[in-house]
Amino acid sequence: MKVGITCYPTYGGSGAVATELGIALAARGHEVHFISYEHPFRLPHFLPRVYFHEVSIGNYPLFEYPPYDLALAVRMHDVVLSHGLDLLHVHYAIPHATSAWIAKEMLREQGRKLPVVTTLHGTDITIVGQDHSYHAITKFSIERSDRITAVSQWLKDETIKAFGCGNCRVDVIPNFVDPTIFDRARHGAGLRQELGGGKPVLMHISNFRPVKRVRDVVRVFAKVRERVPCVLVMVGDGPDRGAAEEEARSLGVSADVRFLGKIDAVAPLLAAADVYVFPSESESFGLSALEALASGVPVVAARVGGLPDVVRDGVTGALLPLGDVDGMADAVVGFLDPVRWAGASKAAQEDAHARFATADVVARYERLYAEALEQVR
Ligand code: GMT
């Protein structure tokens, strides 16, 4: 099959999932065409059967806000025709599902039927899509997609609550990890020693947006450090990085907190971590929590959104009420006990590999694509 994939190419879960899906589809013999304004951050530069098509928006001076969604629709239309794509799969509804609908309509005028699959990831439904400026077009574009998927049951429920979507069928297809890459045994202990100097390593990876509550990560760490010597490694970048750095300074723990910035290949880092701290205000799924679990790292998180489907409370990690910094610190200290850690680490890796392995989830997308093709015939 020839599949067009559109996603945000920047550091974040939806782009990571879309890119890993494309890579896995290509490995299974499909031809995959990424269509976006930049090379997706997790896409290596050359892979057989994987192509990248850049969307250029031009810079005519009249446009204070150049219409990216239209340029994207035109590029989608071009790529479908020039490469004979069978289907478009867009990740994150806004504006990708709208652009795909426009491309589909343009193709329909030319007698060409093109199925569009939209995967909902999170803030496209929970925050941006509910903004009055985008609500109606988000609902319209979701309803016009031939198939809709959500990355968790929680997100599916939120979608129906926010948009009604009376006639739409939303399939839940979870995010996934490659067990051969996110595998503790694959990476040596050298990096853990390098990062922690022999002390336990707490880790957090995100785009440092307000929803991630990165200051809470630092507060949890500071409380743990009062009881157990340890270090905190913060990976990623975004609007709240400065606030997190300031929090570390004001709590007097800066010397033990390292901000590494954006790193694309996080598997070796996760394999060097002892506990993953994830106090987000909302997570439709929590891909980085899954990647941590798959790397044998127990996750201490807020009990929000789809996280209870990913983290098994008390077994592979701990789920606490949102904002419960003391409770999270207690839970981290609990997991730093070597015997408890060994059991939780093993359970985390086994559970993540068993329930969210790439091959199983990608096969579900393949079946969905086949159904979508059948539907438009
Ligand atoms: O940053 C992104 O790429 C999208 C982001 C969002 O804000 O929508 O992440 C969402 O998609 C990820 C991949 O499916 C999920 O693992 C995240 O939980 C979800 N983020 C939120 O729901 C806040």
Side-chain angles (χ1 to χ4, degrees):
M1 201 179 289
K2 293 185 179 185
V3 182
I5 294 184
T6 288
C7 62
Y8 281 104
T10 44
Y11 210 70
S14 61
V17 170
T19 309
E20 300 288 358
L21 174 62
I23 293 170
L25 287 167
R28 292 160 80 99
H30 302 286
E31 192 174 296
V32 176
H33 294 258
F34 286 95
I35 308 169
S36 188
Y37 60 87
E38 243 172 42
H39 214 89
F41 78 100
R42 277 209 186 173
L43 186 61
H45 283 279
F46 173 75
L47 281 174
R49 293 179 292 282
V50 176
Y51 302 87
F52 171 64
H53 307 271
E54 186 174 317
V55 180
S56 157
I57 49 171
N59 61 355
Y60 191 63
L62 174 69
F63 294 143
E64 196 173 347
Y65 304 104
Y68 173 68
D69 24 21
L70 299 185
L72 175 61
V74 170
R75 196 78 170 116
M76 286 169 160
H77 174 261
D78 282 354
V79 176
V80 169
L81 288 178
S82 55
H83 293 271
L85 301 193
D86 297 304
L87 174 143
L88 277 179
H89 185 176
V90 300
H91 293 258
Y92 205 94
I94 306 165
H96 303 152
T98 314
S99 302
W101 175 76
I102 296 171
K104 181 186 163 107
E105 287 301 298
M106 288 161 73
L107 290 159
R108 196 166 59 85
E109 295 281 307
Q110 294 163 298
R112 179 91 190 250
K113 291 178 179 168
L114 179 83
V116 171
V117 175
T118 297
T119 291
L120 309 173
H121 280 275
T123 53
D124 45 353
I125 297 305
T126 56
I127 301 178
V128 191
Q130 294 188 36
D131 181 322
H132 183 70
S133 312
Y134 298 111
H135 186 274
I137 193 70
T138 306
K139 176 174 160 63
F140 174 85
S141 309
I142 292 174
E143 288 177 348
R144 291 297 179 282
S145 302
D146 295 291
R147 295 301 288 261
I148 307 154
T149 77
V151 296
S152 64
Q153 181 62 42
W154 178 85
L155 186 60
K156 172 178 175 172
D157 296 343
E158 286 299 299
T159 305
I160 291 166
K161 228 188 282 170
F163 298 102
C165 268
N167 296 327
C168 28
R169 164 178 171 185
V170 181
D171 289 277
V172 175
I173 302 188
N175 291 334
F176 54 90
V177 271
D178 184 339
T180 64
I181 293 176
F182 291 89
D183 172 12
R184 203 167 188 86
R186 192 182 154 161
H187 307 277
L191 189 53
R192 181 175 180 273
Q193 179 63 30
E194 169 66 32
L195 291 172
K199 295 181 205 161
V201 176
L202 276 52
M203 192 170 284
H204 172 85
I205 305 176
S206 76
N207 46 29
F208 287 57
R209 294 194 189 131
V211 72
K212 303 294 177 184
R213 293 178 72 108
V214 286
R215 288 168 64 194
D216 276 6
V217 177
V218 177
R219 289 180 188 140
V220 169
F221 167 70
K223 287 193 180 287
V224 174
R225 186 176 164 278
E226 285 169 9
R227 293 153 69 182
V228 184
C230 54
V231 301
L232 172 64
V233 176
M234 303 284 275
V235 184
D237 211 330
D240 282 355
R241 176 171 169 173
E245 288 172 339
E246 180 49 39
E247 191 72 26
R249 273 192 294 275
S250 74
L251 294 173
V253 296
S254 301
D256 288 324
V257 184
R258 288 172 75 170
F259 288 86
L260 301 187
K262 289 183 188 173
I263 293 177
D264 297 350
V266 290
L269 281 171
L270 283 168
D274 294 284
V275 180
Y276 192 74
V277 184
F278 205 47
S280 301
E281 190 174 310
S282 172
E283 282 301 335
S284 65
F285 184 91
L287 178 67
S288 70
L290 173 61
E291 293 179 339
L293 295 169
S295 309
V297 187
V299 171
V300 172
R303 187 181 291 104
V304 296
L307 278 171
D309 292 347
V310 179
V311 180
R312 291 206 195 277
D313 191 15
V315 182
T316 66
L319 296 172
L320 283 304
L322 175 62
D324 182 2
V325 169
D326 290 329
M328 290 183 198
D330 287 345
V332 172
V333 171
F335 283 119
L336 291 179
D337 169 76
V339 175
R340 175 107 194 273
W341 183 86
S345 169
K346 185 167 179 290
Q349 180 154 326
E350 283 174 1
D351 186 52
H353 289 189
R355 292 196 295 138
F356 301 104
T358 304
D360 302 336
V361 178
V362 173
R364 291 179 63 184
Y365 277 116
E366 285 177 321
R367 286 197 290 275
L368 187 108
Y369 292 168
E371 288 168 14
L373 275 169
E374 209 40 54
Q375 223 170 286
V376 301
R377 272 204 184 118

